[in-house]
Amino acid sequence: MSEPDKFEDDLLYAITRTGEGFRTEQSDLVAGGYQRGRRRWRRRSTVAVVGGAAALALVGTGAVYLTGSSPSSTATVSAAAAPSTAGGAGSATGSATPASASSASAAPAVTGDEVLAAFQALLPKGETTEAKGRGTNDGPAKGTFAGADLVFDDGHGKSLLQIGIQKHRKGQTQDRSCPDPKINRIDSCAVTTLADGSKLFLSQGYEYPDGRATTKEWLAVLTGPDGREIMMSEWNAAQEKGSPDSRPNPPLTLDQLKAVVTDKSWDRIVAALQPDGVDNSQQDPGLSLDDRKAVLAKLLPAGVTVTKIDGNEVLAEVQLAQGTTTGSLLLRVQKLVQQPGDPTTEKLFEGATVLPEGGRLKLYGPGTSNPKNQQMADLLRGDLRVMAAQGSTGKPLLTLDQLKAIATSPEWKLKK
């Protein structure tokens, strides 16, 4: 995979999450954690791809994954292989008790050692080494992530095990779907809905879906109505990559993976987490989807019409038509909440063209550092940001100059 392709893949999650936004905390992301987590997020279903440098203007949330904060330890785990707590492997439906929305800030912090202990208690008998945990009180993630990883040996070979827990805001959880086996090497995959409305994703795949190595990765992901996302991965090797296989298969069965991610012991940790992503209500410009559709109708070139618009308070995906040809547009209209001179804002619009009315404009397209030539116009005018970008579905129906005209139009005005 080329560097531009890898860069674009790394941004799929941030771009396609309905909750992705624009916030200063991103400067605190731990690079190592993001590197380890980005691969998994690439396996999500995606609804839009805007690649290259343009993604710098889109990224606003991302998964922060475990880098480890507790000392390494060695322990013997003697918990039952399939916990019998509600929602465990013995339960046909599983259950993830929702945490109240107000408990996220009120619940006491959970340390990395506590997260690690909860994880170890749910594993089969075996020895663990290189064990690390990350709690809700660890600084870089600002309380939005907890997790643990360890090397586990049940007597049949070492295996890396990882778990990560996050909580997404309402409407910002992205459903998973099974990959196309013609494209991604995978032995089994299923998505089921549990009794409480949670979605359970189970897969038996490989570290490299293209089959370049035999290392297997088995994965379980639970997404709950309360926004929780609990993800456990296991490998048949002591490292995620760069290590020889130590056993034919990872140690836990799919039922055991299900038992871990659906266990009620995670409720306390979920309650202690802060929601990740951006609170769109703080950035809502006061323009409904119908409002944005009405403004677009005035700005689109003759012959191009809006056939559908979907999205949230900030970001919309617009389906376009020109005769029998279809295309799409990504439209962001957002009220910024940063203070003037915020370093993230300044970095984002570094080198921007200053417009006569004082706004700042950045263009991405052919000839820029945009490896796949997706086109985008990004405007900052006071505390209003408007971005118009070429969508990923259909054919490009708008030129870069037309995207610029949409983004810079004075028709866009804050109502909040």
Side-chain angles (χ1 to χ4, degrees):
M1 180 181 290
S2 68
E3 284 303 313
D5 285 341
K6 286 195 293 183
F7 179 58
E8 193 163 292
D9 278 349
D10 293 343
L11 294 159
L12 286 178
Y13 171 66
I15 294 168
T16 59
R17 276 280 300 279
T18 57
E20 63 87 19
F22 180 63
R23 62 177 181 180
T24 57
E25 295 106 290
Q26 288 310 111
S27 61
D28 292 326
L29 283 178
V30 179
Y34 184 65
Q35 290 289 332
R36 294 176 69 172
R38 63 186 185 178
R39 242 186 4 85
R40 292 168 190 66
W41 295 119
R42 290 208 301 263
R43 294 177 186 171
R44 291 173 171 270
S45 301
T46 58
V47 295
V49 177
V50 177
L56 294 175
L58 294 175
V59 173
T61 192
V64 183
Y65 276 83
L66 180 69
T67 57
S69 59
S70 300
S72 295
S73 61
T74 301
T76 299
V77 181
S78 57
S84 59
T85 53
S91 169
T93 59
S95 177
T97 302
S100 67
S102 61
S103 66
S105 58
V110 177
T111 68
D113 287 340
E114 290 176 302
V115 177
L116 177 60
F119 188 33
Q120 289 176 315
L122 297 172
L123 298 178
K125 292 182 179 180
E127 183 180 70
T128 64
T129 56
E130 302 178 47
K132 299 176 286 291
R134 184 169 183 172
T136 63
N137 59 347
D138 288 344
K142 299 187 183 299
T144 62
F145 176 82
D149 68 359
L150 51 85
V151 175
F152 175 79
D153 191 345
D154 57 0
H156 300 286
K158 293 184 176 182
S159 170
L160 175 64
L161 308 183
Q162 289 184 342
I163 194 158
I165 306 105
Q166 292 179 281
K167 183 162 60 179
H168 308 312
R169 297 180 190 276
K170 184 178 180 180
Q172 295 186 8
T173 298
Q174 185 178 6
D175 290 339
R176 286 177 172 266
S177 61
C178 291
D180 185 344
K182 296 178 182 178
I183 300 174
N184 294 288
R185 184 186 181 194
I186 193 165
D187 293 332
S188 74
C189 182
V191 181
T192 57
T193 301
L194 306 184
D196 68 343
S198 298
K199 297 291 182 66
L200 178 67
F201 173 94
L202 294 172
S203 72
Q204 293 176 314
Y206 294 80
E207 171 63 21
Y208 296 100
D210 60 6
R212 78 184 78 166
T214 57
T215 303
K216 297 179 180 180
E217 180 190 8
W218 291 2
L219 179 67
V221 187
L222 180 79
T223 55
D226 61 347
R228 73 178 61 197
E229 181 164 85
I230 302 173
M231 181 187 325
M232 180 177 173
S233 291
E234 59 171 346
W235 290 263
N236 62 328
Q239 296 181 30
E240 185 175 347
K241 56 185 67 176
S243 178
D245 297 350
S246 55
R247 50 191 299 145
N249 293 310
L252 275 68
T253 66
L254 291 181
D255 279 344
Q256 289 173 315
L257 288 176
K258 173 186 175 181
V260 172
V261 299
T262 60
D263 194 84
K264 289 179 67 65
S265 61
W266 301 119
D267 289 357
R268 173 176 168 247
I269 296 170
V270 171
L273 285 169
Q274 297 292 333
D276 66 0
V278 175
D279 186 352
N280 284 335
S281 66
Q282 298 298 312
Q283 302 181 87
D284 186 354
L287 297 167
S288 68
L289 288 175
D290 285 341
D291 291 335
R292 282 172 272 178
K293 182 178 178 180
V295 172
L296 268 178
K298 303 176 186 178
L299 304 178
L300 289 171
V304 178
T305 59
V306 175
T307 59
K308 186 179 180 182
I309 184 167
D310 289 309
N312 56 34
E313 299 93 330
V314 173
L315 183 65
E317 183 177 22
V318 185
Q319 300 301 319
L320 304 175
Q322 186 175 36
T324 59
T325 305
T326 60
S328 60
L329 167 73
L330 291 180
L331 176 69
R332 171 186 290 278
V333 185
Q334 156 186 22
K335 178 181 180 180
L336 293 188
V337 295
Q338 289 84 358
Q339 296 298 316
D342 174 79
T344 306
T345 306
E346 294 305 312
K347 181 66 175 177
L348 182 63
F349 285 90
E350 186 177 40
T353 299
V354 178
L355 302 179
E357 72 276 12
R360 288 187 284 175
L361 175 70
K362 290 202 77 171
L363 298 176
Y364 301 89
T368 68
S369 55
N370 183 1
K372 288 197 173 180
N373 290 332
Q374 277 88 0
Q375 301 183 107
M376 184 180 80
D378 200 9
L379 173 80
L380 179 64
R381 185 171 63 232
D383 58 354
L384 172 68
R385 182 183 177 201
V386 181
M387 181 206 81
Q390 175 187 320
S392 64
T393 59
K395 295 184 177 180
L397 296 183
L398 303 175
T399 65
L400 185 57
D401 282 342
Q402 290 167 335
L403 293 173
K404 173 184 173 182
I406 292 171
T408 58
S409 171
E411 293 283 343
W412 301 114
K413 297 175 183 178
L414 295 172
K415 290 187 178 181
K416 277 193 176 182

